[in-house]
Amino acid sequence: VGVWNRSLDKARPLLAAGVKLAASPATLARDVDAVITIVTDAAAIAAVYDGPNGLLAGDVHGRLFIEMSTVRPDTEIALARKVAAAGADFVECPVGGTVGPALTGKLIGMAGAEEAAYARAQPILEQLCRKVERFGPVGAGASMKLAINLPLMVYWQALGEAWVLCRHLGLDTTRLLEFMAETSGGPNVLRARGGAIAQALAGKPPETVTLDCDLLRKDLGTMIEEARALGFGLPVAEAALAVYDRASAAGWGGRDGVE
């Protein structure tokens, strides 16, 4: 296993575990059979794949590239064309889940790929995901990821508004969240992250940030942009984004979304 990261400090735990550090993305692609990438946005994808030291800079014929970032479908489709031109296979597979599910191999994968490339990637994806499905050609995975994330982003805002209606009762936040999780308005994420949310509501924010406010804003903006390209508006998502924008402007951009 080899690794390259734009921020070296984030790779140090892997190096301590014996993983080999590549000098550049190009070096990494040269030395492995399959490359997995997951970065912030389309600009970061271009920075990693393109250029004289990018993943596609050298001879990558026969390699497999699995791209897992949360971006618009057009970004993945354009990248797939570049990878195909270099003689390699390409699978997009953005995932649902944060640090906990990632560490235990329990992510949810949404793949877009040609069938042969997906079959090649499946043994790898099944090590990372408790469930992975192919939804169609490249671009389909990105569409599904934006779709499943939208209700979640809106829910965090809705939960905050629900809290306003009952905070004056002075209830124990753990008790409150456990009760909410059992109601018809309690999604799976409330059961999974209810404890962390309860602590944040009690004034004890999480020590580890898994998905910060600015990343929520990025995802919502991507959803809204994609909907507009398809000829639709997302009024609820737009309203939620406006609130997140105000939170970021007030200095909460790097704070965990559960806060």
Side-chain angles (χ1 to χ4, degrees), residues 4-11 25 38-41 43-45 47-48:
W4 181 87
N5 199 71
R6 293 181 297 157
S7 303
L8 179 59
D9 284 346
K10 294 180 179 179
I38 181 164
V39 292
T40 304
D41 52 27
I45 287 176
V48 171

Side-chain angles (χ1 to χ4, degrees), residues 153-172:
M153 306 305 168
V154 171
Y155 179 74
W156 292 133
Q157 174 59 23
L159 182 62
E161 295 181 19
W163 168 239
V164 168
L165 296 177
C166 63
R167 64 185 300 178
H168 66 282
L169 300 176
L171 300 174
D172 175 76

Side-chain angles (χ1 to χ4, degrees), residues 8-142:
L8 179 59
D9 284 346
K10 294 180 179 179
R12 292 194 190 281
L14 296 174
L15 305 184
V19 173
K20 180 182 177 182
L21 176 67
S24 68
T27 303
L28 179 70
R30 182 195 66 196
D31 293 342
V32 299
D33 297 318
V35 176
I36 300 172
T37 56
I38 181 164
V39 292
T40 304
D41 52 27
I45 287 176
V48 171
Y49 277 86
D50 299 338
N53 293 312
L55 288 167
L56 301 180
D59 181 5
V60 294
H61 190 274
R63 301 291 193 278
L64 169 65
F65 289 87
I66 302 173
E67 214 299 297
M68 307 182 86
S69 308
T70 301
V71 292
R72 290 184 59 195
D74 284 354
T75 300
E76 300 288 20
I77 292 169
L79 179 59
R81 292 187 182 122
K82 293 179 183 179
V83 172
D89 286 334
F90 183 83
V91 173
E92 53 141 358
C93 189
V95 290
T98 54
V99 175
L103 290 172
T104 55
K106 294 181 180 178
L107 296 166
I108 299 290
M110 293 146 277
E114 297 301 320
E115 290 187 8
Y118 177 65
R120 184 179 175 191
Q122 236 178 326
I124 297 173
L125 296 173
E126 287 174 352
Q127 300 302 309
L128 304 174
C129 303
R130 65 179 176 84
K131 182 179 181 66
V132 58
E133 288 193 26
R134 173 182 172 269
F135 287 95
V138 173

